[in-house]
Amino acid sequence: MPICNKKTLLCLAISGSLFSVSYAANANDHHDHNHHDGEHHESEHRHHDAHVHGVVETNIAQDGDHLLFEITAPGADVVGFEHAPKDDTQKQVLANAVKTLNNPNLIFTLPENAKCTFEEAHVSHNLVNHNDHDDHDHDHDHDHDHHDGEHHKEHGKHGEFSAQYEYHCEAISNLDQIETQWFTHFPHTHKMTIQYLGDAGQKAASLTPKSSVITL
């Protein structure tokens, strides 16, 4: 059952207030203005199109001693493809990715003195066979032809992963930073956008393989 069904307040924060966070308003972040302006437009584009290769979106909402993460990632970032697995190798890659995503301790590191305990994860994706059913009869075609067909189809429905994590933090006032190991496990990702809403206020940042910590 999706965590959102249990934590309505947090989910409303994620789906509403977080998207009002302006990168321009966070110009004191360690990225330059031009970078933020480009990101602001890119973020708005992703909010409508919700799919940019190489970019993973993470929303974090804090309410009291509860902390909720919501990740949206293109299939290409997670497994290197955006369709149902076509052979045993791809099936194994997908299974491994889902296993990793279901273990948030592999994805995020929270300060020990915040005393955060992982409570629940909900991971989903649409890289399943029925999504590619229309292409099934064309599997015998050459890869280039098949890729072209998939490319057009993906404009209508992209392969995507979603992950939600819920934590309970006994000393959440000590939550002063969050580090991610996402890039280690999913090296296809070039950037992770973070939008945070909590007692520390609203924060927006971009993490990269060389800069993987957000300070709250």
Side-chain angles (χ1 to χ4, degrees):
M1 178 175 65
I3 297 172
C4 277
N5 291 344
K6 298 174 60 181
K7 298 293 178 184
T8 305
L9 178 60
L10 293 182
C11 291
L12 286 174
I14 282 180
S15 62
S17 300
L18 281 175
F19 288 110
S20 69
V21 178
S22 170
Y23 280 90
N26 289 274
N28 59 345
D29 196 2
H30 43 261
H31 299 284
D32 59 53
H33 290 285
N34 291 335
H35 184 62
H36 277 296
D37 291 342
E39 257 184 357
H40 179 65
H41 293 301
E42 186 181 72
S43 179
E44 286 183 343
H45 174 73
R46 285 199 308 274
H47 183 48
H48 295 291
D49 193 19
H51 198 91
V52 176
H53 290 184
V55 179
V56 169
E57 293 181 328
T58 298
N59 297 319
I60 307 170
Q62 177 250 323
D63 179 56
D65 55 6
H66 288 282
L67 193 65
L68 182 69
F69 290 73
E70 182 182 69
I71 303 172
T72 302
D77 282 47
V78 179
V79 293
F81 51 87
E82 296 199 338
H83 49 71
K86 300 185 180 302
D87 53 40
D88 290 341
T89 299
Q90 290 189 346
K91 288 179 181 178
Q92 189 60 52
V93 169
L94 178 58
N96 290 342
V98 171
K99 183 178 180 180
T100 299
L101 288 172
N102 270 298
N103 188 351
N105 292 329
L106 297 177
I107 306 296
F108 294 105
T109 299
L110 308 179
E112 288 187 12
N113 60 355
K115 298 180 180 178
C116 296
T117 303
F118 166 64
E119 291 195 337
E120 187 176 355
H122 177 74
V123 176
S124 62
H125 64 83
N126 60 1
L127 278 66
V128 291
N129 288 323
H130 68 263
N131 285 343
D132 284 351
H133 179 72
D134 292 339
D135 292 333
H136 180 72
D137 292 335
H138 303 288
D139 282 347
H140 62 275
D141 291 343
H142 294 296
D143 288 342
H144 290 293
D145 295 333
H146 186 59
H147 180 268
D148 290 342
E150 282 185 343
H151 179 70
H152 291 298
K153 184 176 181 178
E154 283 169 9
H155 279 290
K157 187 168 186 178
H158 296 290
E160 195 167 76
F161 284 78
S162 176
Q164 293 178 338
Y165 307 132
E166 181 185 345
Y167 291 84
H168 174 264
C169 302
E170 294 183 15
I172 200 156
S173 60
N174 293 325
L175 185 71
D176 56 359
Q177 69 173 35
I178 297 172
E179 182 177 4
T180 185
Q181 290 77 44
W182 177 279
F183 302 102
T184 300
H185 299 289
F186 306 115
H188 292 290
T189 302
H190 304 303
K191 179 172 66 175
M192 173 183 280
T193 63
I194 301 282
Q195 296 195 82
Y196 170 87
L197 178 65
D199 290 345
Q202 295 183 342
K203 301 277 185 176
S206 291
L207 304 184
T208 66
K210 294 183 178 181
S211 178
S212 59
V213 178
I214 177 174
T215 301
L216 304 177

